[in-house]
Amino acid sequence: MDVKFLNPFLDSAAEVLKKEIQLEITRGPINVQTSALTTDDVTVLINLVGQIQGVVLYELSEATALGFVSRMMGQKFNEFDNLAQSGIAELGNVISGKATVALSKSGLDSTISPPTMIIGKGTKISTINFPRIVVTIQTDLGNVTVHLAIKESPPDGKNINFVPLIQEAVSTKQ
Amino acid sequence: MNVKFLNPFLDAIHEVLKTETGIDTSKGDLKLEKGPYTTDDITVIIALVGGVEGMVFYSLTKETSICLVSKMMGEEITEFNSLAQSGIAELGNVITGRASVKLSQAGYESTISPPTLVIGKGSQVSTLDCPRLIIPLSSNVGTITVHLALRDGINQGQKTAQIPVPAKPVI
C-alpha cells in the first residue's frame, strides 16, 4: 500500500464535502491496519479496478450520515431510509470518482465499481492480505473514517490471484 | 439485473467447487430481490467493472466455509482463522475470475476487483438501485448463496450516478 494514493482521496473528500454539504474537514491521525476492521453503523464500499486496484471503505455513524444527507438534500432526515442510503452511497461514489480522476492525471488509470452499502455496527470487514491506510476526517457533523486498501496492479494488467496460497497448498500435497 | 449473466456464474461455480473441493452443488430456486440483504456468517464481496458491472456476493455459514477450506487445503481446519479467511476469499476470487472469462467469451469484457470479506451475521448489505438475483446452491457441506447484482456496463470509465446530487443544495 502506497501513501501516494492517500492525498487524491483526501483532497477529493474535502472538495466534495465542501461543495455538497458546506463542510470544512480536518484530517485526523493516519495509521495503517492489517487486521479486519469492525464496522460503524454505515459503511460504503467501493472497489477500484485498473492500473491500481483495491477497495475503499467510508465508515460513519448513522447520526453523521443523517446529518450529511439532510444538508445535501436540504430536508430533514430522521430515518436512514432508502433515499438517505442512496445519498450516502452517492457521496462515496462522487468522492471516489473524483479521486480516480486525480489519480489518472498522475498516470494511474482506474475504474470504480458501483457502491455497496453495509449497514450494521460490529460486523467485521477483512481486506485479506491488503493492509489499509486509515484516516479519520473530522467535520462538524461527525467523523468519517476512510480506509484505503489499494495497490498498483502488476504492469501486464492481467488478473492475478490475490491469495496465491491455494495453488501452493495443492501442489505441495501432490 | 440481466439473467444472461447467470449461466457463466453457475458454470464457474460448479467447475471450481468440483476441482478445488470435490463438492457437487445443485441449484435451488432463483429469486430476484430489491431490498437489502441480511448477511450470513461469511460474505465474500467482489466487484465487476467493464462491459458488465456490479457486485457479486457469496454468502455462507462459518461451518460451510470451514468444510470448504478444509477440503480445498486437504487438511482439517477447525476455526475460521486468517488462513481459512483467505481460502474462502480465494475461492470467491477464482469463481468470479472464471465467470468473467466466460462472460468475455460471450462478449462482455470485465475486470474483477480483489475480494473483500464481511464477517458477522445480521448486518445489512445494500446494492441500492441494482436488484440482486439470488441463487441458492446446496451441497453436502451446506448451502452457498450467490447474489448477482450486475448490469450492462455504461461506457467504460464513465461513472454512473446513483441519484443526481443537486449542484446547489437548497437550504
Side-chain angles (χ1 to χ4, degrees):
Chain A
M1 169 77 214
D2 209 322
V3 182
K4 72 181 173 208
F5 302 134
L6 181 65
N7 279 332
F9 279 91
L10 289 177
D11 294 346
S12 155
E15 214 176 302
V16 171
L17 291 179
K18 169 115 185 139
K19 192 170 164 223
E20 304 284 356
I21 325 183
Q22 288 81 47
L23 273 181
E24 295 292 343
I25 66 165
T26 38
R27 183 185 303 194
I30 300 174
N31 53 64
V32 176
Q33 294 176 1
T34 44
S35 56
L37 79 95
T38 306
T39 57
D40 204 339
D41 298 334
V42 180
T43 309
V44 180
L45 182 154
I46 294 178
N47 280 291
L48 271 89
V49 169
Q51 283 173 305
I52 45 177
Q53 59 186 16
V55 62
V56 188
L57 300 156
Y58 301 91
E59 235 194 310
L60 58 172
S61 69
E62 193 173 302
T64 309
L66 288 174
F68 280 10
V69 278
S70 299
R71 277 229 209 159
M72 192 162 87
M73 312 224 193
Q75 66 182 69
K76 182 90 185 122
F77 280 85
N78 295 315
E79 213 184 319
F80 198 57
D81 55 9
N82 281 347
L83 186 60
Q85 288 178 22
S86 79
I88 288 296
E90 176 59 14
L91 210 54
N93 195 30
V94 173
I95 293 174
S96 311
K98 232 184 219 306
T100 57
V101 170
L103 284 167
S104 84
K105 279 182 190 148
S106 64
L108 294 165
D109 277 324
S110 61
T111 314
I112 59 170
S113 73
T116 302
M117 182 162 264
I118 299 159
I119 303 160
K121 214 179 175 123
T123 304
K124 283 192 170 165
I125 300 183
S126 165
T127 44
I128 319 290
N129 55 347
F130 271 71
R132 298 186 311 275
I133 289 196
V134 184
V135 195
T136 306
I137 291 176
Q138 293 155 343
T139 75
D140 292 343
L141 295 174
N143 291 352
V144 183
T145 310
V146 183
H147 297 254
L148 293 176
I150 301 177
K151 65 179 178 194
E152 254 177 82
S153 305
D156 58 4
K158 289 263 166 59
N159 270 335
I160 50 153
N161 285 332
F162 299 98
V163 192
L165 115 185
I166 307 308
Q167 268 112 16
E168 283 164 28
V170 170
S171 60
T172 49
K173 277 279 154 197
Q174 280 160 355
Chain B
M1 168 73 209
N2 207 323
V3 181
K4 69 190 166 202
F5 303 135
L6 173 66
N7 280 331
F9 276 91
L10 288 180
D11 295 347
I13 292 163
H14 193 77
E15 287 170 26
V16 171
L17 286 181
K18 187 81 194 157
T19 34
E20 297 275 349
T21 64
I23 286 170
D24 274 311
T25 50
S26 56
K27 178 169 73 74
D29 291 335
L30 300 179
K31 264 190 303 185
L32 193 65
E33 264 186 25
K34 274 200 169 152
Y37 138 69
T38 307
T39 56
D40 207 335
D41 296 337
I42 317 288
T43 310
V44 182
I45 298 183
I46 295 179
L48 270 89
V49 172
V52 196
E53 64 170 25
M55 312 298 292
V56 184
F57 306 147
Y58 301 92
S59 152
L60 58 177
T61 63
K62 203 174 254 180
E63 291 72 36
T64 308
S65 344
I66 290 174
C67 282
L68 287 175
V69 178
S70 300
K71 293 210 178 197
M72 198 159 69
M73 313 246 185
E75 62 181 87
E76 196 59 39
I77 286 169
T78 47
E79 55 167 343
F80 197 63
N81 54 16
S82 58
L83 183 66
Q85 291 179 17
S86 78
I88 278 297
E90 173 61 9
L91 204 58
N93 192 33
V94 173
I95 293 172
T96 317
R98 190 173 284 228
S100 81
V101 170
K102 289 178 193 291
L103 282 167
S104 88
Q105 285 161 356
Y108 296 95
E109 280 300 337
S110 62
T111 319
I112 65 168
S113 75
T116 308
L117 206 58
V118 178
I119 306 162
K121 214 177 174 124
S123 272
Q124 303 223 297
V125 177
S126 164
T127 46
L128 305 157
D129 60 349
C130 203
R132 287 170 297 117
L133 187 64
I134 300 170
I135 313 135
L137 294 164
S138 46
S139 73
N140 55 2
V141 296
T143 306
I144 303 163
T145 312
V146 183
H147 299 247
L148 299 177
L150 300 173
R151 59 186 174 203
D152 278 297
I154 324 285
N155 289 330
Q156 273 217 27
Q158 196 177 319
K159 309 299 175 293
T160 53
Q162 303 297 314
I163 50 155
V165 176
K168 267 192 203 153
V170 253
I171 291 183

